[in-house]
Amino acid sequence: EEPVLLAELKPGRPQRYDWKSSCETWSVAFSPDGAWFAWSQGHCVVKLIPWPLGEAELGCKTSERKSRGGKAETRSRGAAKEKTLECGQIVWGLAFSAWPAAEDGDTDPACPVGLPCLVLATGLNDGQIKVWEVQTGHLLFSLLGHQDVVRDLSFAPNGSPILVSASRDKTLRVWDLSRDVLLPSGDAFLLSPGRQVQVLSGHVQWVYCCSISPDCSMLCSAAGEKSALLWSMRSYTLIRRLEGHQSSVVSCDFSPDSALLVTASYDACVIMWDPYTGEQLRTLRHVPLHSTLDSSSEIHTSSLRSVCFSPEGLYLATVADDRLLRIWALELRSPVAFAPMTNGLCCMYFPHGGFIATGTRDGHVQFWTAPRVLSSLKHLCRKALRTFLTTYQVLALPIPRKLKEFLTYRTF
């Protein structure tokens, strides 16, 4: 079943051609609970949109959203209202957090009193990271430290206020948003210096992407290099280099059970790794598609831009420069579905499945249908076991070899 375009949202602002304003949608993000969608729509603007979209928007192919100056734009849909975040700089990275708000008497240091339930971090062109309260659209504070573009952001999936940022200054930085006190500064808050936990150095090129494993034990980073780096989130030390690509690695993502890691490269390949052993399990090659979907005589390369896992861990989505969104089944080496899209830059699955959001170089965001799958009992058991067992622990179990191979994704 091919993906169907449900809606396409376009910026309402006219195109501006000065160097300070970039129209690309470099990043899109769904909140972990699926209630919000963040769209970096270019022109230094991020839209916070309640999900699901309105029936009028899902019922038509395109819809324009107009921005009004520096004030938050609101549109009622129950209690949630759409908001416009004026970031003041080109926005490259987006990440939602899901940690709960603390109450008086709460002893959990990771949940400071008064911190909102849901925040959005935005990585900016000048190296700043601005953190916003989603419900109100207010700027909470800024994180200062990077010396160049903050290209990507990743919050710890376990709900702790740990944020990792990847930058063109060739470093990753780890931030603890629960530390110290927020210092008031006008209408917003500034960050006291102690919130930066660690600076991770090891890349020699711009860092494009970072991803924290769902069990919060590992961090993968991809830069303009042929290898990806795997870090420990416990000691913040380098575990290993993942070498196998023939060109720059630009995107990475962990499977929902942390047992698999995928990396995408300009070499037109996705490599599936066992992050615990560093073993290459499978290579997915983006070969040209000779069909009516690609009717232009112009030759397009298949350089990859983005890769992401589906929520149940049985599919992958990839966006490449050959104007195609591809969906891959975990057990197959060829795509199971294609969709034509122009100038794709990023993709992300809806956290409950069924939809994929893609961002384009033109500042548009598109929503596509994605295969809905009922996971087999075998896969559910594997996913549950691999959530807390490493590859080495599985191999040490007194069970048949074929079962070990299944649990470690050596057979699909």
Side-chain angles (χ1 to χ4, degrees):
E1 183 179 351
E2 303 298 335
V4 175
L5 180 62
L6 295 175
E8 181 175 13
L9 307 181
K10 302 179 180 180
R13 291 185 173 184
Q15 299 291 340
R16 291 165 51 188
Y17 295 100
D18 60 286
W19 69 272
K20 294 182 179 179
S21 179
S22 178
C23 67
E24 294 93 349
T25 293
W26 289 108
S27 186
V28 294
F30 287 102
S31 62
D33 61 0
W36 290 91
F37 176 75
W39 166 27
S40 168
Q41 67 168 36
H43 307 295
C44 311
V45 170
V46 171
K47 284 286 184 135
L48 277 171
I49 304 171
W51 187 271
L53 298 178
E55 291 182 5
E57 291 160 321
L58 284 176
C60 64
K61 291 298 182 185
T62 63
S63 174
E64 289 192 355
R65 296 193 171 254
K66 302 189 180 294
S67 304
R68 302 185 178 94
K71 296 183 179 180
E73 179 189 49
T74 61
R75 177 170 54 83
S76 296
R77 186 183 297 140
K81 297 179 180 180
E82 179 183 309
K83 300 165 187 70
T84 298
L85 308 181
E86 298 280 356
C87 296
Q89 291 280 332
I90 297 170
V91 181
W92 293 80
L94 297 173
F96 282 99
S97 81
W99 74 78
E103 300 177 355
D104 291 328
D106 196 333
T107 59
D108 185 358
C111 302
V113 174
L115 198 64
C117 294
L118 189 63
V119 300
L120 177 73
T122 55
L124 306 183
N125 199 65
D126 62 356
Q128 283 192 77
I129 301 167
K130 290 186 176 181
V131 181
W132 309 78
E133 183 179 0
V134 171
Q135 291 296 330
T136 63
H138 292 158
L139 176 65
L140 291 175
F141 47 80
S142 296
L143 304 172
L144 307 176
H146 281 297
Q147 305 302 310
D148 208 334
V149 172
V150 177
R151 186 62 184 84
D152 196 23
L153 297 163
S154 182
F155 271 103
N158 63 358
S160 67
I162 298 297
L163 173 69
V164 175
S165 54
S167 171
R168 283 187 180 177
D169 66 11
K170 305 175 186 177
T171 70
L172 298 113
R173 293 174 190 256
V174 184
W175 312 84
D176 185 347
L177 303 193
S178 69
R179 289 194 172 189
D180 303 322
V181 180
L182 300 183
L183 305 177
S185 175
D187 295 332
F189 291 88
L190 291 179
L191 185 66
S192 56
R195 291 179 177 265
Q196 183 172 287
V197 176
Q198 194 79 24
V199 178
L200 305 181
S201 300
H203 287 291
V204 296
Q205 300 291 338
W206 294 350
V207 189
Y208 290 126
C209 182
C210 60
S211 179
I212 302 176
S213 62
D215 65 3
C216 296
S217 66
M218 295 171 286
L219 166 71
C220 183
S221 59
E225 304 157 12
K226 296 180 181 179
S227 59
L229 301 188
L230 197 63
W231 309 82
S232 168
M233 282 296 290
R234 297 186 176 97
S235 62
Y236 299 121
T237 56
L238 182 65
I239 298 174
R240 65 173 53 88
R241 290 181 178 270
L242 300 174
E243 298 180 338
H245 284 289
Q246 303 304 310
S247 188
S248 300
V249 184
V250 295
S251 184
C252 57
D253 195 26
F254 284 93
S255 63
D257 58 5
S258 303
L260 296 173
L261 170 68
V262 288
T263 54
S265 167
Y266 287 158
D267 65 8
C269 291
V270 170
I271 296 181
M272 193 179 301
W273 310 82
D274 184 323
Y276 295 102
T277 66
E279 180 182 351
Q280 294 185 37
L281 302 180
R282 176 161 292 186
T283 298
L284 306 177
R285 304 185 186 279
H286 287 61
V287 298
L289 179 65
H290 301 289
S291 75
T292 56
L293 290 181
D294 191 5
S295 57
S296 171
S297 59
E298 182 181 356
I299 297 176
H300 290 262
T301 65
S302 297
S303 296
L304 281 153
R305 293 288 173 179
S306 184
V307 62
C308 63
F309 264 101
S310 62
E312 81 292 325
L314 289 174
Y315 289 92
L316 295 171
T318 58
V319 170
D321 282 347
D322 61 358
R323 301 176 298 165
L324 289 173
L325 165 69
R326 289 174 172 85
I327 298 177
W328 309 73
L330 201 63
E331 69 275 8
L332 300 176
R333 294 182 183 271
S334 299
V336 296
F338 301 88
M341 61 174 299
T342 303
N343 296 328
L345 290 177
C346 59
C347 60
M348 173 168 279
Y349 269 91
F350 181 61
H352 305 309
F355 303 99
I356 298 173
T358 58
T360 75
R361 196 173 291 278
D362 307 309
H364 303 181
V365 62
Q366 300 167 323
F367 299 97
W368 306 85
T369 58
R372 288 188 178 273
V373 60
L374 185 63
S375 298
S376 67
L377 182 59
K378 288 199 308 180
H379 176 67
L380 289 174
C381 291
R382 174 172 60 184
K383 184 178 174 182
L385 285 170
R386 292 311 309 271
T387 299
F388 64 90
L389 290 180
T390 70
T391 299
Y392 297 112
Q393 289 171 326
V394 170
L395 295 177
L397 294 175
I399 56 178
R401 179 179 58 84
K402 287 189 176 181
L403 187 53
K404 291 181 181 180
E405 291 175 349
F406 175 78
L407 292 176
T408 57
Y409 291 90
R410 268 61 181 177
T411 59
F412 292 92

